[in-house]
Amino acid sequence: MNHNTRLLSLNQLTTLIMFFLIGGSALSSTARYSGQNAWIVLLFAGFFGGMFFTLYHRISKIHQYKGLPDILKATFGKFFGTALLLVYACFFLFRTISVGNYMSSMAQETLMFGVNHRVVIVMLMITVIVSALYGLNVIGRSSEIFLFIMLLCLIPFLLAIFTASFKVDNLTPILAEGLPGIAADIARTTFFPYGELVVFLMLFPYIMPKESNRILKRSYIAIAFSVMLSIAIDLTTVALIGSTLTSNFEYSFFNAMQLAGMSGFLERLDPLAVVIMVASEYFKLVIYFFVTVLAFQALSHKFNFKVTLSILTVVIFFLAPVVQPPETNFLMNTMPFKILPIFELGLPLFIWIVSEIRFRNKKPEVPRQTTERLNPGPI
C-alpha cells in the first residue's frame, strides 16, 4: 500500500469524526435513557468529550503528532510500550467486533430479516476489507460524499417539527429529577461515544504536517456539529414517539422516522433512516477495523499490513458470531462505567503525565518528509 493512500486532509478528518460520533449516538440514541433531557445530556457530554479530545491532542502534539504505537514505545520503552500497545490493539479489536455485531443485528432487524448472522458478517467484512485495502484517503473522501447524502436524508425527518405528529408536550418536563438525576447519563454519554475519539490517536500521523496545527480547531468544529445534530435527532425522536416508546424501542430513531412521513410527500421515511443508520455506523466500523490492523501491525516491524488484515479478518469472522450482540445492561452500565474509562481517561492521563515529564522540554523534530511520520513497517 502506497503511503499516499493513507494521507488525510483536515476536511476528511472532520467528516470522519462527525460520522464516528453520530454513529455512536444516533443509533444507540441518548434519548433512550435520558428522554426529554437528552439535549442537556448531550451538551454536557459534548463539552467533556471536547476536554477528552484536548488531552488526546496534547499527547500527540508532545510527540510531534506521531501515532499511538510510537508514543507508547517512546514514553514507556520498547517492552512496556509494546505490551500497552497490545492492550490497546485488543481493545480496538473488541470494539470492532462490538460495532460490527451491532450493525449486523441492525441490518437483520431492518433490512435482512431472518438472514443468518454469519452471512451478514461476511457482507459487512467484504466492504470493510475493500475500504481498508484502498486506504485511509479513500475512506476519508467517501465520508465527505456520504455526509452530504446523510444530511439530505435527515432533512425530511427534521421537517417533522411542522407536522401534527410532532408533540411539544413530549419534551416536558425538563430536569424533573434535577441535574444530579442525569449525572449518570452525562457520564455514560461522555465515555460512549465522545471518549471513543481516543481512536484518532492512531490517525493523527496521516494528517499533512503543514496542517497539524489546525487539527484541534477542526476537531472542535466536528464535535460541536455532531452535538447539535444529535440533539436535533434525539429531540425530534422524543417529540414524535414520546420518551417511553423511545426507551422501549431498540432502534427508536428508525421507528420515529417511520412516523415522520408527510402525507402526499415522502410518506415512508424508513428507507432514508436505513441510509443514515448504515452510513454512520459503517464509517465507525471502518475506522475501528483500520486502526485495529494498524495497531497489531505496529507490534513488530516484520508484520505486513495485508497479512495482518487477513489474519484479523479470519479472527473476526469466527469470533463475531460467538460474541453475541451486547445486552442493554452491558451497553448502558458495564461498558461506559467499567471498561471505556480505562482506555479513554485512565491510561491517556497516565501517558500524558509521563510524556509531559519526559518530553515537554525536548526540542521538536523537524520532519524531512511527510511519510517519515507515518506508521513504520512493511505494507
Side-chain angles (χ1 to χ4, degrees), residues 13 76 126 172 300 314 323 341 360:
L13 175 69
F76 302 106
I126 290 174
T172 57
S300 173
V314 174
V323 180
R360 185 173 186 178

Side-chain angles (χ1 to χ4, degrees), residues 16-73:
L16 285 175
I17 290 176
M18 290 178 187
F19 269 121
F20 193 83
L21 294 177
I22 295 170
S25 57
L27 301 187
S28 60
S29 183
T30 304
R32 285 188 66 189
Y33 47 83
S34 56
Q36 62 273 16
N37 295 317
W39 65 277
I40 302 175
V41 172
L42 284 166
L43 285 175
F44 276 98
F47 172 76
F48 292 125
M51 293 179 64
F52 280 23
F53 192 88
T54 304
L55 171 64
Y56 308 149
H57 177 267
R58 177 58 185 169
I59 293 172
S60 183
K61 186 176 181 180
I62 292 173
H63 294 269
Q64 290 84 54
Y65 296 100
K66 293 181 179 178
L68 184 61
D70 292 327
I71 291 173
L72 293 176
K73 292 175 184 178

Side-chain angles (χ1 to χ4, degrees), residues 165-168 170-171 234-242 246:
S165 300
F166 190 94
K167 297 179 175 59
V168 179
N170 288 336
L171 300 178
D234 281 354
L235 289 186
T236 305
T237 298
V238 174
L240 289 173
I241 63 177
T246 299

